[in-house]
Amino acid sequence: MNESIDTNTDNRRVLSGMRPTGKLHLGHYHGVLKNWVRMQEDYECFFFIADWHALTTHYDAPETMNEHVWDMVIDWLAAGVDPEKATLFIQSHVPEHAELHLLLSMVTPLGWLERVPSFKDQQEKLREKDLATYGFLGYPLLQSADILIYRAAHVPVGEDQVPHVELTREIARRFNHFFGRGSEFEERMDAAIRQMGKKASKTYRRLRQQFTEQGDRDALEEARTLLREQQNLSREQREGLLGHLEGRGVTLLPEPAALLTEAAKMPGLDGQKMSKSYGNTIFLRDDPKRVEQAIRVMPTDPARVRKTDPGEPEKCPVWSLHKVYSDAETRAWVEDGCRRAAFGCLDCKQPLINAVLAEQEVILDRARPYESSPDLVREVIAAGDKHAREVASETMTIVRESVGTIYR
Ligand code: TRP
Ligand code: SF4
């Protein structure tokens, strides 16, 4: 998270998205969705289904998109994301994202995209797929468009996505540099720069350009020092210039900040991180009978062959789940009873089964009306699409004007 350049302290807009890759599991719930549900109370939230992003890697499975998209919307609603509080929409229903992506691409150096860690990582990981595509290279740039088109200040994401938000900041800065229109602020800053004297103002302009065009952080630091040393600037001028230096003031597209989701790694049924590719998941809307059965057959500390053999919770995947679901009292009961062989593993699992099922009962209850009338889900999305499109269109009007493609 980069707090040092938070340009939008009163901008409470939050944007985040998920690729529709199938039913969500408890890892998504504890890692992401609970956080969204909290945020919708205090922020103006936009949450969207990144269906175009899914196509960058799953272009060979278009027939799965429909089911995955609606499953995901229902999972969000079931988790407590509230369409009265947050705007839920589908990326491809707001084609303005694609237009902004195209315009951003005009000033995006290829090297910036090639250097994004996920580009090479995913190519390596998904070897069987041809990801040497234009669409895949542009993945993080499309994400930048997603964020910038809502002029969002905060982007809640996991650690793997932080480089994408960083890229977004750099792209915004560069876009603002080329297309940000001169304003009254610009004129005032111009006057302040001239007031610094010939030599200092020349240095300032050079350093600022190095930062806004190349993202050169050393130049930024050097310029800050230079400004601090200027005796003949007023406080307002100095503060204005500190912002101007970072491309602020000409906030055609404001720079967002990543809001790192401190996801407690949700353990799966085998103790590894819960993930669909490991087949160790409990789905958000899983069948309670399957959930119970899956926990009953979970592996435990192998030392506990018989009920009378003592065990060690730290060697047991069930214990990892207790850490997420059980209160201090239950956890103490587990640690003690396991080490003393006071009860069997099935006894130990029972409070866990109860806790997961209780959590899911609420989720299943919320899902039920949407599952039984799909029209309700379509309505939620239609309303969200409409609102998202209004906001996105406002940005695009300004952007089209700025890039010079409005002809009168
Ligand atoms: N790349 C994100 C992921 O895989 C999904 C995403 C697309 C996203 N656009 C976004 C997340 C914009 C946050 C903001 O999880
Ligand atoms: Fe694991 Fe509980 Fe069995 Fe100990 S008693 S091995 S913590 S399931």
Side-chain angles (χ1 to χ4, degrees), residues 25 110 118 123 172 187 250 260 285 292 343 351 388 392:
H25 53 64
L110 277 177
S118 58
Q123 281 186 336
E187 282 157 31
V250 258
L260 199 59
R285 290 181 285 138
E292 176 160 9
F343 46 65

PDB file of all heavy atoms in Angstrom, residues 25 110 118 123 172 187 250 260 285 292 343 351 388 392:
ATOM      1  N   HIS A  25     -15.425 -20.318  -2.854  1.00  0.00           N
ATOM      2  CA  HIS A  25     -15.312 -21.176  -1.669  1.00  0.00           C
ATOM      3  C   HIS A  25     -15.035 -20.342  -0.417  1.00  0.00           C
ATOM      4  O   HIS A  25     -14.947 -19.110  -0.484  1.00  0.00           O
ATOM      5  CB  HIS A  25     -14.253 -22.253  -1.896  1.00  0.00           C
ATOM      6  CG  HIS A  25     -12.906 -21.739  -2.334  1.00  0.00           C
ATOM      7  ND1 HIS A  25     -12.121 -20.930  -1.543  1.00  0.00           N
ATOM      8  CD2 HIS A  25     -12.214 -21.920  -3.491  1.00  0.00           C
ATOM      9  CE1 HIS A  25     -11.001 -20.655  -2.165  1.00  0.00           C
ATOM     10  NE2 HIS A  25     -11.026 -21.220  -3.360  1.00  0.00           N
ATOM     11  N   LEU A 110       5.470  -0.642 -23.854  1.00  0.00           N
ATOM     12  CA  LEU A 110       5.411  -2.110 -23.821  1.00  0.00           C
ATOM     13  C   LEU A 110       6.189  -2.684 -22.645  1.00  0.00           C
ATOM     14  O   LEU A 110       5.745  -3.624 -21.995  1.00  0.00           O
ATOM     15  CB  LEU A 110       5.998  -2.676 -25.115  1.00  0.00           C
ATOM     16  CG  LEU A 110       5.046  -2.731 -26.299  1.00  0.00           C
ATOM     17  CD1 LEU A 110       5.783  -3.249 -27.528  1.00  0.00           C
ATOM     18  CD2 LEU A 110       3.862  -3.629 -25.971  1.00  0.00           C
ATOM     19  N   SER A 118       3.049 -10.765 -12.935  1.00  0.00           N
ATOM     20  CA  SER A 118       2.072 -11.798 -13.287  1.00  0.00           C
ATOM     21  C   SER A 118       2.156 -12.206 -14.760  1.00  0.00           C
ATOM     22  O   SER A 118       1.745 -13.306 -15.122  1.00  0.00           O
ATOM     23  CB  SER A 118       0.661 -11.316 -12.962  1.00  0.00           C
ATOM     24  OG  SER A 118       0.378 -10.124 -13.658  1.00  0.00           O
ATOM     25  N   GLN A 123       2.302 -17.077 -17.516  1.00  0.00           N
ATOM     26  CA  GLN A 123       2.699 -17.796 -18.726  1.00  0.00           C
ATOM     27  C   GLN A 123       3.393 -19.104 -18.348  1.00  0.00           C
ATOM     28  O   GLN A 123       3.163 -20.143 -18.951  1.00  0.00           O
ATOM     29  CB  GLN A 123       3.622 -16.928 -19.583  1.00  0.00           C
ATOM     30  CG  GLN A 123       2.865 -15.898 -20.397  1.00  0.00           C
ATOM     31  CD  GLN A 123       3.777 -15.145 -21.342  1.00  0.00           C
ATOM     32  OE1 GLN A 123       4.980 -15.049 -21.134  1.00  0.00           O
ATOM     33  NE2 GLN A 123       3.200 -14.591 -22.394  1.00  0.00           N
ATOM     34  N   ALA A 172      -1.758   6.344 -14.805  1.00  0.00           N
ATOM     35  CA  ALA A 172      -2.563   7.544 -14.560  1.00  0.00           C
ATOM     36  C   ALA A 172      -1.676   8.782 -14.641  1.00  0.00           C
ATOM     37  O   ALA A 172      -2.023   9.784 -15.283  1.00  0.00           O
ATOM     38  CB  ALA A 172      -3.232   7.467 -13.190  1.00  0.00           C
ATOM     39  N   GLU A 187      -1.663  27.405 -13.895  1.00  0.00           N
ATOM     40  CA  GLU A 187      -1.106  28.754 -14.041  1.00  0.00           C
ATOM     41  C   GLU A 187      -0.446  29.226 -12.763  1.00  0.00           C
ATOM     42  O   GLU A 187       0.650  29.792 -12.781  1.00  0.00           O
ATOM     43  CB  GLU A 187      -2.206  29.749 -14.459  1.00  0.00           C
ATOM     44  CG  GLU A 187      -2.543  29.642 -15.952  1.00  0.00           C
ATOM     45  CD  GLU A 187      -3.937  30.152 -16.271  1.00  0.00           C
ATOM     46  OE1 GLU A 187      -4.401  31.081 -15.563  1.00  0.00           O
ATOM     47  OE2 GLU A 187      -4.559  29.614 -17.215  1.00  0.00           O
ATOM     48  N   VAL A 250      -3.699  18.390 -11.856  1.00  0.00           N
ATOM     49  CA  VAL A 250      -4.208  18.037 -13.176  1.00  0.00           C
ATOM     50  C   VAL A 250      -4.763  16.627 -13.068  1.00  0.00           C
ATOM     51  O   VAL A 250      -4.337  15.731 -13.756  1.00  0.00           O
ATOM     52  CB  VAL A 250      -3.087  18.083 -14.242  1.00  0.00           C
ATOM     53  CG1 VAL A 250      -3.175  19.331 -15.044  1.00  0.00           C
ATOM     54  CG2 VAL A 250      -1.725  17.915 -13.609  1.00  0.00           C
ATOM     55  N   LEU A 260      -4.539  -3.233   0.860  1.00  0.00           N
ATOM     56  CA  LEU A 260      -4.134  -4.628   0.952  1.00  0.00           C
ATOM     57  C   LEU A 260      -5.075  -5.401   1.865  1.00  0.00           C
ATOM     58  O   LEU A 260      -5.262  -5.057   3.019  1.00  0.00           O
ATOM     59  CB  LEU A 260      -2.704  -4.719   1.459  1.00  0.00           C
ATOM     60  CG  LEU A 260      -2.007  -6.038   1.191  1.00  0.00           C
ATOM     61  CD1 LEU A 260      -1.963  -6.322  -0.310  1.00  0.00           C
ATOM     62  CD2 LEU A 260      -0.608  -6.001   1.765  1.00  0.00           C
ATOM     63  N   ARG A 285     -21.682 -22.115  -1.042  1.00  0.00           N
ATOM     64  CA  ARG A 285     -23.039 -22.661  -0.986  1.00  0.00           C
ATOM     65  C   ARG A 285     -22.999 -24.177  -1.153  1.00  0.00           C
ATOM     66  O   ARG A 285     -23.734 -24.752  -1.937  1.00  0.00           O
ATOM     67  CB  ARG A 285     -23.903 -22.020  -2.078  1.00  0.00           C
ATOM     68  CG  ARG A 285     -24.210 -20.552  -1.822  1.00  0.00           C
ATOM     69  CD  ARG A 285     -25.074 -19.957  -2.911  1.00  0.00           C
ATOM     70  NE  ARG A 285     -24.340 -19.700  -4.134  1.00  0.00           N
ATOM     71  CZ  ARG A 285     -24.819 -19.952  -5.347  1.00  0.00           C
ATOM     72  NH1 ARG A 285     -26.001 -20.489  -5.498  1.00  0.00           N
ATOM     73  NH2 ARG A 285     -24.085 -19.682  -6.407  1.00  0.00           N
ATOM     74  N   GLU A 292     -20.362 -31.660   6.068  1.00  0.00           N
ATOM     75  CA  GLU A 292     -20.172 -32.476   7.270  1.00  0.00           C
ATOM     76  C   GLU A 292     -19.281 -33.675   6.953  1.00  0.00           C
ATOM     77  O   GLU A 292     -18.313 -33.955   7.663  1.00  0.00           O
ATOM     78  CB  GLU A 292     -21.529 -32.938   7.795  1.00  0.00           C
ATOM     79  CG  GLU A 292     -21.372 -33.866   8.973  1.00  0.00           C
ATOM     80  CD  GLU A 292     -22.637 -33.983   9.830  1.00  0.00           C
ATOM     81  OE1 GLU A 292     -23.692 -33.465   9.413  1.00  0.00           O
ATOM     82  OE2 GLU A 292     -22.527 -34.601  10.900  1.00  0.00           O
ATOM     83  N   PHE A 343     -10.160 -37.315  23.973  1.00  0.00           N
ATOM     84  CA  PHE A 343     -11.298 -37.629  23.090  1.00  0.00           C
ATOM     85  C   PHE A 343     -10.777 -38.011  21.707  1.00  0.00           C
ATOM     86  O   PHE A 343      -9.587 -37.854  21.416  1.00  0.00           O
ATOM     87  CB  PHE A 343     -12.279 -36.453  23.001  1.00  0.00           C
ATOM     88  CG  PHE A 343     -11.608 -35.107  22.788  1.00  0.00           C
ATOM     89  CD1 PHE A 343     -10.906 -34.827  21.628  1.00  0.00           C
ATOM     90  CD2 PHE A 343     -11.701 -34.110  23.775  1.00  0.00           C
ATOM     91  CE1 PHE A 343     -10.311 -33.590  21.435  1.00  0.00           C
ATOM     92  CE2 PHE A 343     -11.098 -32.883  23.589  1.00  0.00           C
ATOM     93  CZ  PHE A 343     -10.403 -32.624  22.425  1.00  0.00           C
ATOM     94  N   PRO A 351     -17.397 -29.532  16.959  1.00  0.00           N
ATOM     95  CA  PRO A 351     -17.654 -28.081  17.068  1.00  0.00           C
ATOM     96  C   PRO A 351     -17.308 -27.323  15.795  1.00  0.00           C
ATOM     97  O   PRO A 351     -17.932 -26.314  15.462  1.00  0.00           O
ATOM     98  CB  PRO A 351     -16.761 -27.626  18.230  1.00  0.00           C
ATOM     99  CG  PRO A 351     -15.913 -28.779  18.602  1.00  0.00           C
ATOM    100  CD  PRO A 351     -16.470 -30.019  17.999  1.00  0.00           C
ATOM    101  N   ALA A 388     -23.160   2.162 -12.932  1.00  0.00           N
ATOM    102  CA  ALA A 388     -21.738   2.122 -13.290  1.00  0.00           C
ATOM    103  C   ALA A 388     -21.518   2.848 -14.616  1.00  0.00           C
ATOM    104  O   ALA A 388     -20.570   3.607 -14.788  1.00  0.00           O
ATOM    105  CB  ALA A 388     -21.261   0.675 -13.389  1.00  0.00           C
ATOM    106  N   ALA A 392     -19.048   5.907 -15.452  1.00  0.00           N
ATOM    107  CA  ALA A 392     -17.996   5.673 -16.444  1.00  0.00           C
ATOM    108  C   ALA A 392     -18.136   6.655 -17.614  1.00  0.00           C
ATOM    109  O   ALA A 392     -17.134   7.157 -18.141  1.00  0.00           O
ATOM    110  CB  ALA A 392     -18.057   4.232 -16.941  1.00  0.00           C
TER     111      ALA A 392
END
